[in-house]
Amino acid sequence: MTTALITGSTAGIGAAFARRLAADGHDLVLVARDTKRLRDQATELHDRHGIEAEVLTADLATDEGIEAVADRLGDRRNPVDLLINNAGFGNKGRYLDVSMADELKMVKVHIEAVLRLTSAATAAMRERGRGGVVNVASVAAFVPRGTYGASKAWVVQFTQGAARDLAGSGVRLMALCPGFVRTEFHQRAGMGTDNIPNWMWLDADKLVSVALADLARGKTLSIPDPRYKALMGLVKVTPRGLLGGVTSRTGRKYGPR
């Protein structure tokens, strides 16, 4: 029986990972800020699938929260075999419309926490010669769209670089880059979504199935939908200056409001 630790486990993509991994027989360490929601989730998954679900309340925007999760990942007596770094959020507004405190909080959660938790997990995994890490990024990583896209671009570059450095160790790392997914993400940020076309939305459970299959195949980057793969292919061949203007206009038309 292997154990997976999931940050941001109580909603959206994190909850979809928890459902799928529990159904596959993995024990879980569930990490989020809301203790009641964590306990309810742990009870449901235990009762439905017969797995053990440990609850760890932590705010990854704080040093204390990051340290608590890193300590659990480094516990050699109760090893974690798979880390899903999923916790994240969005800020409503353009650059300079968002407070510096909120910008720095995003950097803390999307970059510092991912770095420290990945490092804690992979150090222990390398000793055992096996393990996996999925760092949830976004297709926003590939377009110039402010602090959110920049932080997710860091996640992609860091994950793929670390994967190369750990090649042959038995530890796999993969950056997962979904598009729009129907979760609590936009609601929490106060963003409306009525203007986003239906074809751009992805199903969280299907996304997770593709992601886990890509990890098993040894991919270091997963864009789990043909539509977004095609869009990212166009992004690669579009000049950066033109791309900046297009993504800015597209963001105003289709992005969260």
Side-chain angles (χ1 to χ4, degrees), residues 163 172-174 211-221:
R172 295 181 177 181
L173 292 93
M174 185 183 78
L212 291 174
D214 284 347
L215 180 68
R217 285 194 288 265
K219 289 190 174 183
T220 62
L221 177 67

Side-chain angles (χ1 to χ4, degrees), residues 118 122 135 156-167 169 171 173:
T118 300
T122 54
N135 289 329
V156 171
Q157 293 296 318
F158 162 69
T159 303
Q160 292 195 293
R164 285 191 293 270
D165 288 344
L166 291 174
S169 69
V171 182
L173 292 93

Side-chain angles (χ1 to χ4, degrees), residues 92-141:
K92 182 179 181 180
R94 299 185 187 184
Y95 175 60
L96 294 184
D97 293 336
V98 178
S99 72
M100 183 55 63
D102 287 341
E103 295 279 42
L104 291 174
K105 181 179 179 181
M106 178 172 286
V107 170
K108 188 85 170 182
V109 175
H110 290 186
I111 296 179
E112 183 179 341
V114 169
L115 171 61
R116 292 169 63 181
L117 299 187
T118 300
S119 298
T122 54
M125 291 172 182
R126 185 171 61 176
E127 292 176 4
R128 299 192 301 273
R130 67 184 186 279
V133 176
V134 176
N135 289 329
V136 180
S138 168
V139 293

Side-chain angles (χ1 to χ4, degrees), residues 64-93:
E64 295 78 10
I66 296 172
E67 288 167 5
V69 181
D71 286 346
R72 179 61 185 86
L73 289 167
D75 187 346
R76 269 58 172 180
R77 295 168 300 174
N78 299 291
V80 171
D81 305 280
L82 176 64
L83 167 63
I84 310 294
N85 266 321
N86 167 73
F89 64 95
N91 286 323
K92 182 179 181 180

Side-chain angles (χ1 to χ4, degrees), residues 169-184:
S169 69
V171 182
R172 295 181 177 181
L173 292 93
M174 185 183 78
L176 172 60
C177 295
F180 288 105
V181 184
R182 294 195 184 278
T183 69
E184 297 177 4

